[in-house]
Amino acid sequence: MLAQVSRKLLAPQVPFAETLEEASVGSLVYVDERGQVRSHRLYKRRFGWRLAGAVAAMSGYTGILWMMGGPAGLVVGGLLTLMITRNLPAAGALRRGTVLVAAGRLDEAEALLRRLIGGRFTAAGIKAYAEQALARVAALRGRHDEALALQSSALDRLSRSRRLRARRRIIEYDRVVTLVNLDLVADARRRFDALPRTLEGDYLRLQRTVTELYVAMGEGQHRFEPAFLQEQAEIASSVPMSASLPALLAWAQAFAGHPQKAAQLLTTARERAGGATIRKLYPRLGVWMDSQ
């Protein structure tokens, strides 16, 4: 019975990528509690076939959500804590809502996610993830003040369990970006600097770099070492899913007085999917790209 429910909630099937570098538009990657991308084989081995189906049904939405204008999506292993049978319908609704976000059907997504958040018996964790998805809708519509409120509420709902630390950190990075979008750059810098970077896996390291570069753009300056920018450019070239990273690195290189490197990175960013979404999620970056 559980397997039948899981198959229904998962339809249509969403492919898994084995590594962050292999991720493509619409694929999922499995991210453990440290924010490290792990293989799908490990995912299945850890939870078993039937449990894996249920976890994916509840958390697979994240891979769709992060396919737009940023790194590939993820399934956080810590979501095993949400695997309670009575929450499977809500989890399925969560996945459908965020698939609608990815498809650009924002009106439908917003209505579904708001109903989910207002559900009397919906688990707090699922409500938190729905708020995270709804914050993305608000950001795509330029309502960054609303996005900030939703991100803060999602963090308040989430426990500080080690299993959920990757999820919390992702939302914390999203909130820093939103603060920059609201011209609260000093607050964004303070919050970013307060976030520890220990034990961060490759997915979270990518998120951290994008966030740090965007904060610097908000400040209008940076002091990144040339070796750091080169290292990140190599990472950006190996993660074809990300358009925001090469675009931000292009700005950093332009600020550092390296127009040729900036032009190469900007070309890379423009060749990748998600350009229109970048302009909505990172409006400062969009303005800069359009001026080049």
Side-chain angles (χ1 to χ4, degrees):
M1 180 65 181
L2 177 58
Q4 292 175 347
V5 172
S6 299
R7 284 194 295 270
K8 181 179 179 181
L9 290 175
L10 276 170
Q13 291 294 318
V14 181
F16 273 81
E18 292 296 304
T19 67
L20 187 60
E21 291 77 12
E22 294 176 7
S24 60
V25 174
S27 64
L28 297 174
V29 293
Y30 169 52
V31 177
D32 66 14
E33 297 87 346
R34 292 179 49 244
Q36 176 70 32
V37 175
R38 309 294 294 274
S39 73
H40 188 208
R41 291 186 297 274
L42 177 62
Y43 174 61
K44 292 185 292 187
R45 189 164 64 247
R46 280 188 172 182
F47 302 119
W49 285 95
R50 301 183 77 185
L51 295 186
V55 173
M58 288 185 286
S59 58
Y61 77 94
T62 317
I64 302 296
L65 187 59
W66 265 268
M67 64 179 269
M68 304 177 299
L74 72 159
V75 178
V76 177
L79 291 182
L80 182 62
T81 58
L82 288 181
M83 204 174 70
I84 303 172
T85 302
R86 66 183 178 87
N87 282 317
L88 283 175
L94 174 61
R95 180 182 182 278
R96 290 193 296 275
T98 49
V99 167
L100 290 171
V101 175
R105 295 161 60 179
L106 301 186
D107 289 340
E108 297 170 71
E110 183 170 4
L112 179 56
L113 291 167
R114 288 195 183 281
R115 287 197 300 272
L116 190 57
I117 292 169
R120 183 176 179 182
F121 300 108
T122 304
I126 291 180
K127 287 186 177 183
Y129 305 148
E131 286 178 325
Q132 183 185 14
L134 194 57
R136 180 59 59 101
V137 173
L140 288 168
R141 287 177 159 166
R143 304 196 307 249
H144 300 293
D145 51 348
E146 181 182 342
L148 179 63
L150 287 163
Q151 288 157 356
S152 298
S153 177
L155 288 168
D156 288 341
R157 290 185 193 272
L158 285 178
S159 75
R160 295 187 176 273
S161 165
R162 288 174 57 86
R163 287 182 173 180
L164 297 177
R165 63 184 178 186
R167 169 67 63 175
R168 288 189 59 86
R169 187 58 50 81
I170 290 166
I171 300 175
E172 287 168 337
Y173 285 149
D174 286 346
R175 183 167 63 176
V176 169
V177 168
T178 300
L179 288 168
V180 174
N181 291 338
L182 290 169
D183 294 325
L184 300 172
V185 180
D187 193 11
R189 169 58 70 183
R190 178 180 60 81
R191 288 184 180 275
F192 177 81
D193 288 345
L195 294 174
R197 62 187 309 164
T198 56
L199 300 179
E200 286 193 344
D202 56 0
Y203 183 89
L204 281 178
R205 288 197 300 271
L206 184 60
Q207 291 288 89
R208 183 182 184 91
T209 300
V210 168
T211 303
E212 185 174 17
L213 285 163
Y214 196 58
V215 172
M217 173 174 271
E219 294 170 328
Q221 61 181 340
H222 74 78
R223 298 182 179 86
F224 297 118
E225 295 291 335
F228 171 81
L229 295 179
Q230 179 60 36
E231 177 188 32
Q232 295 307 314
E234 293 172 0
I235 292 173
S237 67
S238 68
V239 185
M241 186 62 202
S242 176
S244 53
L245 180 56
L248 285 163
L249 288 169
W251 166 80
Q253 291 288 8
F255 180 85
H258 303 297
Q260 185 174 359
K261 291 181 179 180
Q264 291 172 346
L265 286 160
L266 192 56
T267 297
T268 297
R270 286 172 170 162
E271 290 174 347
R272 295 180 177 181
T277 302
I278 285 178
R279 288 166 171 76
K280 296 177 181 179
L281 299 180
Y282 304 92
R284 288 176 182 264
L285 177 59
V287 169
W288 180 82
M289 292 176 68
D290 291 340
S291 70
Q292 301 305 301

